[in-house]
C-alpha cells in the first residue's frame, strides 16, 4: 500500500484497480498516511487557511424529482419559497460586510430564475461588488444560458455529476433525467471558462466501491476546478428516505484522495458533514479540504431548503457564525481566509 500512496502523492494519478485496492483497504495506517499527505499538499498550496463562500439559497422550487432530495417536485409538504432580487442583493450586502468575497447562488431548478431575470441580477451584483466572485449552482441549463450567465459576470458553477455510473444515476433519478446531459452540461461549463465544480454523495443508495472508483476516474479525466462531496443523508419524505446515512469516515478518505489527485482543487468541507457532527467539518479541513460555505440566506427561509433532514444552517454553518467557525478552525491551527480564492494552477505543489 505504501508504494501506491507514494505514487498517488508524486504522480497525482492512479489506475482504477489501484484506487479500488486503496478504497477497499481497511488498513488505518494507510489512511492516516494519505490524510497526512493530503493535509500537507493543501497547506503547501493554501497555507493553513480556509476560503469562505457565502451560500444564498435562492429558491426551493424544483422541476426535478431526484429520488434522494427533500426539495424534489413531488414533496408536497415543503413550504416553497423564492427570494426576491432585493432579498438576494441584501444577502450579498450583509455578506460583503462580514468579509465574504464569493457569493454562491444555489437553488432548485426553478423556471422563475430564467435568464431574463438572472442576467440583470448577476450584472448588478458584479457591478456592485467587482472584487467578488459569483458562483452559481442552479442545475442543468442550455449552453446558451450558461454563456449568458458567464457574460453577465458569473465565473464559477457547481454541478455535481452525482455519479459516474449511468446505471446508478438511473436508480437515483427518474427516467426524464439524463446522466449524459448532466455530464455534457459539466463539459460545456468548463469549455465556456467557468471554474467548474463536480461531486457526488458518499453512501448514496446502491453505491458500491466500484462506483466510487468510477467517480475518481471521471474526476481524473475531467479535472474540475472544484469538487464537493458529502455523505448521503436520508430525507423521510423522499423515495430513498429509508436508506442509511453515508459514512463520514469514507467521505474523509475520499476528500484526502481527491486532494492528492487534484492538488489545486477547491474542495469544500460540506454542510452535510457539519450536519452529521460538528467536528466532522473540521476533520474535513484536516483531511485536505480548503473551503467552507456558510449560509447567507435570510434566516426565515433556511429551514425550508431542507434537501436532507436536519440540515445545518445556523451556528458555524451560518454567515453570522464566522467567529465561532474561526474558533473551531483554530483548534486545528487553521484560520479563515477572506481572499476571493480563485482556482490557481500556477502555485507549485
Ligand atoms: N439543483 C441544483 C443541482 O441539481 O445541481 C443545486 C441544488 S441540489 C439540492 C445540490 C446538491 O445537494 C445535489 O447535487 C446533491 O448532491 C445534494 N443532495 C441532495 N439531496 C441530498 C441528500 N439527501 N443527502 C446529501 N446530499 C444531497
Amino acid at each position: 500500500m505504501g508504494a501506491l500512496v507514494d505514487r498517488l502523492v508524486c504522480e497525482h494519478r492512479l489506475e482504477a484497480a489501484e484506487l479500488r485496492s486503496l478504497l477497499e483497504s481497511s488498513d488505518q495506517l494507510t489512511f492516516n498516511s494519505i490524510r497526512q499527505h493530503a493535509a500537507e499538499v493543501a497547506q503547501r498550496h493554501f497555507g493553513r487557511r480556509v476560503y469562505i463562500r457565502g451560500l444564498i439559497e435562492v429558491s426551493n422550487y424544483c422541476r426535478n424529482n431526484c429520488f434522494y432530495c427533500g426539495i424534489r417536485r413531488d414533496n408536497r409538504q415543503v413550504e416553497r419559497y423564492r427570494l426576491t432580487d432585493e432579498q438576494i442583493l441584501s444577502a450579498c450586502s450583509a455578506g460583503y460586510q462580514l468579509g465574504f468575497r464569493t457569493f454562491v447562488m444555489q437553488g432548485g431548478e426553478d423556471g422563475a430564475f430564467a435568464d431574463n431575470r438572472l442576467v440583470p441580477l448577476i450584472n448588478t451584483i458584479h457591478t456592485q461588488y467587482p472584487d467578488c466572485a459569483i458562483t452559481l449552482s442552479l442545475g442543468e441549463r442550455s449552453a446558451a444560458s450558461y454563456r449568458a450567465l458567464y457574460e453577465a459576470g458569473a465565473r464559477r458553477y457547481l454541478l455535481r455529476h452525482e455519479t459516474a455510473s449511468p446505471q446508478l444515476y438511473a436508480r437515483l433519478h427518474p427516467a426524464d433525467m439524463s446522466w449524459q446531459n448532466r455530464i455534457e452540461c459539466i463539459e460545456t461549463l468548463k469549455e465556456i471558462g467557468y471554474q467548474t465544480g463536480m461531486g457526488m454523495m458518499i453512501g448514496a443508495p446502491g453505491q458500491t466501491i466500484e462506483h466510487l472508483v468510477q467517480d475518481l476516474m471521471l474526476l481524473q479525466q475531467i479535472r474540475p476546478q472544484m469538487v464537493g462531496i458529502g455523505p448521503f443523508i436520508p430525507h423521510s419524505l423522499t423515495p430513498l428516505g429509508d436508506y442509511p446515512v453515508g459514512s463520514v469516515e469514507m467521505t474523509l478518505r475520499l476528500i484526502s484522495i481527491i486532494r492528492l489527485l487534484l492538488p489545486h482543487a477547491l474542495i469544500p468541507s460540506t454542510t452535510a458533514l457539519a450536519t452529521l457532527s460538528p467536528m466532522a467539518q473540521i476533520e474535513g479541513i484536516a483531511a485536505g479540504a480548503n473551503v467552507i460555505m456558510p449560509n447567507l440566506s435570510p434566516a426565515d427561509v433556511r429551514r425550508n431548503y431542507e434537501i436532507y433532514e436536519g440540515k445545518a444552517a445556523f451556528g458555524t454553518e451560518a454567515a453570522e457564525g464566522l467567529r465561532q467557525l474561526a474558533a473551531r478552525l483554530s483548534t486545528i491551527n487553521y484560520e479563515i481566509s477572506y481572499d476571493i480564492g480563485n482556482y490557481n494552477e500556477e502555485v507549485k505543489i
Side-chain angles (χ1 to χ4, degrees):
M1 277 304 160
L4 270 192
V5 176
D6 288 346
R7 280 201 45 225
L8 176 60
V9 173
C10 297
E11 296 173 23
H12 316 303
R13 187 166 285 284
L14 284 182
E15 301 299 329
E18 298 172 319
L19 287 166
R20 189 177 310 116
S21 55
L22 264 192
L23 288 179
E24 278 170 349
S25 160
S26 54
D27 175 15
Q28 202 50 47
L29 284 178
T30 302
F31 281 98
N32 289 345
S33 145
I34 291 178
R35 192 178 52 223
Q36 210 166 327
H37 282 295
E40 274 167 27
V41 167
Q43 285 165 19
R44 224 177 301 146
H45 192 179
F46 309 101
R48 299 183 78 98
R49 305 174 80 221
V50 176
Y51 296 129
I52 47 164
R53 320 299 201 192
L55 182 63
I56 308 170
E57 292 158 339
V58 296
S59 169
N60 71 353
Y61 283 88
C62 192
R63 71 172 130 247
N64 289 333
N65 233 346
C66 308
F67 295 145
Y68 47 82
C69 184
I71 61 167
R72 64 199 301 273
R73 182 181 69 222
D74 282 356
N75 183 0
R76 309 266 174 235
Q77 294 187 47
V78 191
E79 198 181 313
R80 302 283 170 176
Y81 74 90
R82 176 180 292 136
L83 299 186
T84 62
D85 286 4
E86 291 66 36
Q87 283 176 304
I88 295 170
L89 289 169
S90 88
C92 292
S93 162
Y96 192 87
Q97 282 165 45
L98 288 166
F100 287 92
R101 293 296 176 267
T102 295
F103 305 123
V104 183
M105 284 197 265
Q106 184 174 83
E109 292 196 16
D110 177 358
F113 280 88
D115 293 352
N116 61 3
R117 175 167 172 203
L118 274 175
V119 166
L121 176 62
I122 292 169
N123 252 315
T124 305
I125 299 173
H126 188 50
T127 310
Q128 283 184 8
Y129 305 100
D131 53 338
C132 293
I134 301 169
T135 306
L136 302 177
S137 179
L138 299 168
E140 296 170 38
R141 305 173 76 93
S142 68
S145 170
Y146 288 145
R147 214 165 280 121
L149 304 180
Y150 186 89
E151 278 159 18
R155 286 292 176 273
R156 304 179 189 152
Y157 204 106
L158 309 172
L159 187 68
R160 288 185 173 185
H161 64 288
E162 310 297 358
T163 168
S165 153
Q167 292 76 22
L168 180 59
Y169 191 89
R171 279 190 63 179
L172 299 172
H173 301 91
D176 63 352
M177 291 183 72
S178 142
W179 177 84
Q180 194 64 40
N181 190 57
R182 200 146 180 106
I183 300 297
E184 279 169 22
C185 284
I186 290 168
E187 283 166 348
T188 303
L189 288 163
K190 240 186 142 217
E191 270 162 37
I192 292 172
Y194 281 101
Q195 293 169 46
T196 304
M198 295 172 63
M200 64 277 182
M201 296 177 289
I202 310 307
Q207 184 187 63
T208 61
I209 292 286
E210 194 52 45
H211 290 127
L212 291 172
V213 169
Q214 289 175 29
D215 287 321
L216 294 175
M217 293 304 288
L218 188 68
L219 292 175
Q220 292 191 79
Q221 183 198 321
I222 299 188
R223 305 193 74 75
Q225 289 87 358
M226 305 178 277
V227 184
I229 65 168
F232 163 74
I233 304 177
H235 190 303
S236 60
L237 300 174
T238 64
L240 300 174
D242 288 337
Y243 280 82
V245 69
S247 152
V248 169
E249 170 68 20
M250 186 53 109
T251 305
L252 296 174
R253 285 180 182 193
L254 282 155
I255 287 177
S256 297
I257 293 174
I258 294 167
R259 165 61 62 215
L260 293 172
L261 290 175
L262 302 171
H264 297 86
L266 298 159
I267 303 179
S269 191
T270 51
T271 305
L273 272 175
T275 298
L276 292 184
S277 135
M279 284 322 281
Q281 194 173 34
I282 298 300
E283 288 170 37
I285 298 298
N290 66 327
V291 172
I292 288 184
M293 298 167 63
N295 199 313
L296 254 185
S297 311
D300 58 331
V301 302
R302 280 183 205 171
R303 73 189 156 81
N304 295 327
Y305 198 84
E306 203 187 40
I307 54 181
Y308 43 80
E309 250 145 11
K311 178 169 156 283
F314 294 94
T316 54
E317 266 311 291
E320 322 80 74
L322 281 187
R323 209 176 304 159
Q324 210 182 329
L325 176 63
R328 210 165 261 174
L329 285 171
S330 74
T331 63
I332 53 165
N333 292 322
Y334 277 68
E335 58 182 14
I336 290 174
S337 164
Y338 290 91
D339 293 351
I340 189 168
N342 276 317
Y343 181 81
N344 179 4
E345 260 186 13
E346 308 285 294
V347 181
K348 203 158 165 27
I349 295 285

